[in-house]
Amino acid sequence: MTLPARRGSIRHAMLAYSLLLVLALSLAFILIGARLSYQSQLASTRRQLASAADLKQRQIERWVEERESDLAVLATEPSLQQLLAVLRTAPGESPERLNAYSEIAVRLTGFLRKKVAFVELALLDADTGRTMVSTDVLREGESHFTAAYFQHGQRELYVQPPVFDPTVNGPTMLIARPVEEPGGDVLAVLVGRANLADLGVLIQAGSGMGGQGETYLVSDAGLYIAGSRGMDVAAQGEVGSVGVRRALLRVAGSGRYVNDWGQDVLGTYRWVPKMEVALLIEQDWTVVVAAAYRQAATMAGVVGVAAVLAAAAALLLTRRIVRPITELTAVASDIAAGNLERVAPLQRADEMGLLAHAFNEMTRQLRNLVATLEQRVAERTQALQEANAELEAFAYSVSHDLRAPLRATQGLSQALLEDCGDQLDAVGRDYVLRIQGSAQRMDTLIQDLLAYSRIARANVEFKVVSLELVLQDVLLQLESAIREQDARVTVEKPLPAVVGHYPTLAQVVANLVANAIKFVAPDVQPRVRIWAEKRDGVVRLWVEDNGIGIAPEHYERIFCVFERLHGIETYPGTGIGLAIVRKGMQRMGGAVGLDSTVGEGSDFWIELPVGDENARR
């Protein structure tokens, strides 16, 4: 039946498609431009944050080094060292000791006035840890023997991480160092308690991040130390945004997160080991994306103008192309209705003419193909049936004709041993036993070849299969081998269901378990662990053993037919078992692999799609 022509519909469709294409491309350009603007602005801000962090870290480290240098100048004054020696050795209320105490106190107080960064200076006895002299006289006599700054300060320069100090309503930091006499003996530990207020001023100084930028320090305990929000924030307790947590883990990086003041920010964070604090510099997220929005708006305007021009061009192009296509429609409708004798009447010198010629050539070839198709199908079907018949005949011959002589050989050799065994010497009996063994191995080889052939050509119908039922049947099948090897097989349940072919899957699992029991070192009890895991829509079943292991260079070789890594005298077999495993998994659309260590064991695994958890055989 000839389909009716629908004049004008192609034009409308092409026009609609053209406009949709223009619109889609316009939207794609806008989205791509917005994305590129976003990425460019994000990268630029990240670089700016990193540069600001580098600058601030250098300033912080320089500030700490200056405080360390201040204490070093005081600790190395010869006069202070002499006074300390007198203070430690003179009797308790002697004039010499009192005079030494007074002069040291004056020196510490004068030094404190010059170095306003310190709020307290103290000298701790090197033997007892008690405060001998302090600018805060109320703290003299206190013991600091167990304090970390005293223990470390006896040996080396030590900087204690900042803590919140309620006496100054802000964070302070202890710096300790030994005061040594010329002979090298430690006289005292000089401890300076630095007020981080001027460090806060340094942090608040401009970092080029604008009014929406944040720069602050956080102690190892998660306390706000100093920053652009001022020192009053330090009394508000702990902070713990994503950036703070990562910096406290000594991880340096940058990213978008919500800070502790509820702002959506792009921040960079790092750990400053010199001061044992986290440094964070953040920029308001709206500032980051504002430039990208402006660029995207500009690009949208340009693309909009281009879209209007493209739409006008599409309208003109549609009118030129549609007319010859409409003429071809009638011819195509007749051919679709079964009239293969119809030809396109178009006579044009452009692409439409070539299309009409190709259309006519196509219908001619189609007529020829239809005429010969049935004959070719019949010939190929006959050839396939003959090939299948030959395979069936071969399998029957192998199964019956070839195995019959082997059974006769086995029976006759057994009868020879039973009836004439006492007439044979040791060499003769050994020959008969070798004949029996060879016949048995040949029979096993034929059976394995048949199994491989069946798996390779059998019809595989996929169903949901319970792995627990498969393992139950396999362990029952291998019960005698497990008992003979004194093997310990552990199955960790529950096992999920998979999509596969039950007989093929049972053969695969049986071969893996049998190999796990067989390939173990002498005098070693075989231990096999079977478990399963789900990953990305598939189930991976593991068969782990404590066997002899396989070297990595043999991982691929062991799955080939007749490939053996050991002599038949050491480990009997035909070398087909793992080939059957791979072929079976290929037929089921799965995968097989292993991890192994020579001398420790092997972990074989197979993968199949996840099935219904309530599946049954």
Side-chain angles (χ1 to χ4, degrees), residues 132-161:
M132 297 186 296
V133 186
S134 174
T135 55
D136 184 355
V137 294
L138 296 178
R139 305 191 67 170
E140 290 181 354
E142 293 181 354
S143 176
H144 304 269
F145 186 80
T146 60
Y149 52 85
F150 174 73
Q151 296 293 332
H152 288 279
Q154 289 180 303
R155 303 183 302 271
E156 59 189 356
L157 177 69
Y158 175 74
V159 179
Q160 180 173 281

Side-chain angles (χ1 to χ4, degrees), residues 209-224:
M209 300 309 300
Q212 288 77 26
E214 299 282 352
T215 304
Y216 55 97
L217 300 178
V218 179
S219 71
D220 198 20
L223 297 176
Y224 179 96

Side-chain angles (χ1 to χ4, degrees), residues 279-345:
L279 170 63
L280 293 96
I281 301 182
E282 300 167 345
Q283 179 65 278
D284 193 302
W285 184 252
T286 58
V287 176
V288 177
V289 299
Y293 289 158
R294 289 192 295 270
Q295 293 179 12
T298 302
M299 181 171 290
V302 174
V303 172
V305 174
V308 172
L309 296 177
L315 178 61
L316 296 176
L317 184 62
T318 299
R319 291 179 177 176
R320 179 174 179 81
I321 294 177
V322 164
R323 185 176 295 107
I325 294 179
T326 303
E327 296 174 356
L328 277 177
T329 301
V331 177
S333 298
D334 289 346
I335 295 175
N339 184 9
L340 300 180
E341 300 299 327
R342 181 69 185 274
V343 295

